[in-house]
Amino acid sequence: MDETETRHVRALFISDVHLGSRACKAEQLLDFLRHHDADTIYLVGDIVDGWQLRSGWHWPQSHNDVIQKLLRKARKGSRLIYVPGNHDEFLRDYFGTHFGGVVVTEHATHVAADGRRYVVTHGDQFDRTIKRARRFAALGDPVQMVLRSANTAINVVRAWLSLPGWSLSQWAKCKVKDVLNYVQTFEEALAAEATRRHAAGVICGHVHQASIRDFPAARYINCGDWVESCSAAVEHFDGRLEIVSWRVGVRRDVSNATIAEAHAI
């Protein structure tokens, strides 16, 4: 993709940006938004990390730039629909509110170009870990910050040895989730919810693991995150849905993406 080219898609689905967290990769998201426009942009929860901001204020200019970029897209005609998650749950007091061209809603229904209906929800409501251990949730951010600090040191050494980068926190999360069978249970619960709502599928976030899976009765699509994978879901004008991973300085056609991985259907 040319440095100045902007690709127009029918819909963008972005989740788990975690603005206000030091782990947020706002610059990568800004670059992605510079190269993508959409008729509709869904913000699928945890865009702002209210939990982290309560424990310590961190809001660099790049985080403000992301907000301004999204509002600018709304002014230029994109529909922006914000479905809050557990980290930005303070916005759940404002369902039905319109501000700056953004609509805040509990969940949304997206009708794709091929006529398929998708439930759009963050997904934390289906996470039994969140429901049962909400009082311990604040432990998650400090632990992840320790992992990321260790990861930085590891990657300095790996770079010195001319080895590729490696994510300790992603490895740790994958190992824990493998043991608990957490992600599969989460995916099945969300797919079941789509079936209950007589929809073709569900588009969500929350678990920071981008994926497109077809279950017998419904399709599961997870947007990923902008903390580690820097990924989003896009809908093309023929109704085809795809996960795109993004890295600054690398230009790929969305239809061919992947820098990390992409799943298209």
Side-chain angles (χ1 to χ4, degrees), residues 135-245:
R135 60 182 174 169
F136 299 111
L139 295 175
D141 290 316
V143 169
Q144 290 199 33
M145 290 303 295
V146 169
L147 285 173
R148 290 188 186 106
S149 296
N151 195 82
T152 299
I154 289 170
N155 280 324
V156 167
V157 175
R158 290 179 68 87
W160 182 68
L161 295 173
S162 299
L163 295 173
W166 182 71
S167 173
L168 172 63
S169 59
Q170 190 70 26
W171 174 84
K173 284 189 289 186
C174 286
K175 288 300 179 183
V176 171
K177 290 172 184 177
D178 284 345
V179 171
L180 299 177
N181 206 19
Y182 166 72
V183 172
Q184 182 175 345
T185 302
F186 179 81
E187 291 173 347
E188 290 170 351
L190 269 292
E193 177 66 8
T195 302
R196 188 182 73 81
R197 293 174 181 256
H198 307 289
V202 62
I203 300 172
C204 64
H206 187 54
V207 295
H208 292 210
Q209 190 163 320
S211 175
I212 293 179
R213 288 191 61 190
D214 281 316
F215 288 88
R219 178 171 296 161
Y220 168 91
I221 301 159
N222 192 294
C223 310
D225 68 281
W226 292 88
V227 172
E228 296 198 58
S229 68
C230 295
S231 56
V234 304
E235 184 205 351
H236 299 284
F237 284 97
D238 59 0
R240 182 168 51 96
L241 288 159
E242 183 177 33
I243 299 295
V244 177
S245 295

Side-chain angles (χ1 to χ4, degrees), residues 18 46 48-52 85-90 122 141:
H18 291 275
D46 287 3
V48 176
D49 195 329
W51 295 4
Q52 186 63 43
N86 50 305
H87 281 257
D88 46 18
E89 60 191 349
F90 58 90
H122 181 64
D141 290 316

Side-chain angles (χ1 to χ4, degrees), residues 44 48 65 79 84 88 96 122 142 159 246 259:
V44 193
V48 176
D65 291 343
R79 292 174 62 231
D88 46 18
H122 181 64
W246 194 254
I259 297 155

Side-chain angles (χ1 to χ4, degrees), residues 17 19 21-35 58-67 69 226-227 230 246-249 251:
V17 179
L19 295 170
S21 166
R22 295 181 186 278
C24 170
K25 291 186 169 61
E27 293 83 1
Q28 282 89 330
L29 177 55
L30 275 170
D31 191 65
F32 176 79
L33 291 171
R34 290 186 191 108
H35 289 86
H58 176 75
W59 195 270
Q61 184 59 44
S62 60
H63 292 206
N64 198 54
D65 291 343
V66 168
I67 299 294
K69 185 68 171 176
W226 292 88
V227 172
C230 295
W246 194 254
R247 292 293 182 272
V248 172
R251 300 288 171 257

